[in-house]
Amino acid sequence: MRESMGQDEYGSANPFDPDDLPNLNAIGPGIGNNDFEKYAVAVIIVFGALIIGGLMAASMTFGHRNGFLFALGGATSAWISGNALLLDRPRIYALFVGIAALMLIASTITLVT
């Protein structure tokens, strides 16, 4: 037996109407307009294709194997961070962006020195 005051049969307040289950998905990302997919694709493209590809090419051209491997590690970390953003895991995203930044700085230092 349903109560009329938004309570279930045990007296607990229930914010969702069981008859309204098909509309529960409207509560998700649509309300805050959080479209993480666009940002994740931008992260993957910018890190993977432009910055890291250039570091890899420069390291290979000058014969710095360690710089190439650091850039490869940074590319992998940036790629994982883009996927973490797609899966809505902001802490994992921040961790892998930090790892990518450190590895790319190491690649740049290896290339310069």
Side-chain angles (χ1 to χ4, degrees):
M1 180 171 138
R2 292 191 51 164
E3 299 291 329
S4 62
M5 297 180 63
Q7 295 180 348
D8 61 8
E9 58 191 21
Y10 302 107
S12 299
N14 188 359
F16 302 115
D17 183 11
D19 298 328
D20 203 23
L21 285 177
N23 295 330
L24 283 180
N25 287 335
I27 294 174
I31 285 181
N33 201 10
N34 297 328
D35 193 14
F36 291 119
E37 287 84 11
K38 291 179 185 175
Y39 298 114
V41 169
V43 165
I44 292 170
I45 289 172
V46 169
F47 273 109
L50 301 176
I51 299 170
I52 300 169
L55 273 174
M56 286 180 176
S59 295
M60 286 175 53
T61 301
F62 293 113
H64 294 286
R65 185 184 73 168
N66 292 336
F68 174 77
L69 292 176
F70 278 131
L72 182 63
T76 304
S77 179
W79 179 76
I80 291 171
S81 72
N83 290 312
L85 191 58
L86 277 174
L87 297 173
D88 196 20
R89 303 282 189 215
R91 289 183 181 172
I92 295 173
Y93 166 74
L95 173 72
F96 279 103
V97 166
I99 291 170
L102 290 175
M103 293 189 94
L104 294 174
I105 290 170
S107 175
T108 305
I109 290 172
T110 304
L111 186 62
V112 172
T113 59

